[in-house]
Amino acid sequence: MSKNAMWLTIIFVAAIVGALMGPSIGSLVGEGTMLILAPLFLIGVVVFCIWALSSNKSGAKADPAALADARQMRAPDGKARIYVTRRGFVAALQGMNITMGSAQGQIKSGQMLMADVEPGQYVIHVATAKAKLARPAEIEVDVGAGGVVVIDAMIEMGALKGGVKLTRLDATQARENVNATKLILWEVPPA
């Protein structure tokens, strides 16, 4: 069982237990206390969500021609092409900051970044927009002329803090991810 499936199962079980125990706890602490605590808890959850998403940036979407070129998954002559894609629902709205050399960008779930680069070795660093929410990760890729590399970025849940997980995809998964995501432009394009 993956970590994400494990945590979703724990959340589901906790929701059931909470629904079953809620009325008992409500009768123990009293209706007046519950009427005070419930709104305070709800306000706390809303404030946390606003804080967690406050470092997100709205990246510029690429035009249809650039998206069509990206979905071809072919590097220009003498160059290599690197994609960083993000799919899934775990922390889907949390932005991920992508750094590759001097290039910088941010994506959320359902989005990708693409870079046409000189052949060589590259280190891709990925961290959540709110660094306190998940541990960052790095992956090193070596890509030759005409080569295409697709990296999938996701957040794995932990007990108290998640972690970014980077995976180099095989050809089938790579094509699926590139065709299922929208192309976002780099804030600072690759040199």
Side-chain angles (χ1 to χ4, degrees), residues 4 15 37 40 47 51 64 68 79 87 92 99 101 105 110 115 120 122 124 130 140 146 151 160-161 168 182 184 188:
N4 288 338
L37 292 179
L40 288 176
V47 167
W51 171 82
K79 297 266 190 177
R87 294 179 67 194
T99 306
Y122 294 88
I124 301 168
K130 280 289 187 197
E140 192 171 302
I151 304 298
L160 298 175
K161 188 174 186 177
R168 186 172 178 163
K182 295 177 180 132
I184 300 298
V188 178

Side-chain angles (χ1 to χ4, degrees), residues 29-42:
V29 297
E31 193 174 309
T33 305
M34 286 299 282
L35 288 173
I36 294 170
L37 292 179
L40 288 176
F41 178 74
L42 183 61

Side-chain angles (χ1 to χ4, degrees), residues 67-87:
L67 179 60
D69 177 52
R71 291 198 169 146
Q72 294 283 322
M73 293 185 67
R74 260 181 282 174
D77 291 338
K79 297 266 190 177
R81 185 169 275 187
I82 298 174
Y83 296 85
V84 179
T85 64
R86 181 152 181 234
R87 294 179 67 194

Side-chain angles (χ1 to χ4, degrees), residues 6-64:
M6 178 188 72
W7 285 110
L8 287 174
T9 303
I10 289 171
I11 290 168
F12 180 74
V13 169
I16 300 283
V17 170
L20 294 174
M21 292 182 64
S24 300
I25 293 171
S27 66
L28 285 175
V29 297
E31 193 174 309
T33 305
M34 286 299 282
L35 288 173
I36 294 170
L37 292 179
L40 288 176
F41 178 74
L42 183 61
I43 290 168
V45 169
V46 170
V47 167
F48 174 78
C49 290
I50 291 170
W51 171 82
L53 300 176
S54 66
S55 294
N56 283 358
K57 300 172 187 167
S58 181
K61 290 182 183 171
D63 60 46

Side-chain angles (χ1 to χ4, degrees), residues 4 52-53 55-59 84-100 103-113 124-131 133-138 151-157 162-167 184-187:
N4 288 338
L53 300 176
S55 294
N56 283 358
K57 300 172 187 167
S58 181
V84 179
T85 64
R86 181 152 181 234
R87 294 179 67 194
F89 63 91
V90 176
L93 296 177
Q94 178 63 47
M96 280 190 175
N97 293 332
I98 316 294
T99 306
M100 186 174 69
Q104 296 176 359
Q106 187 181 96
I107 56 174
K108 294 172 212 55
S109 187
Q111 299 178 339
M112 69 175 159
L113 289 169
I124 301 168
H125 179 81
V126 180
T128 55
K130 280 289 187 197
L133 294 178
R135 290 176 300 283
E138 281 188 352
I151 304 298
D152 178 54
M154 67 179 286
I155 295 179
E156 277 194 332
M157 298 294 288
V164 175
K165 180 180 177 187
L166 302 175
T167 308
I184 300 298
L185 301 177
W186 292 87
E187 293 169 44

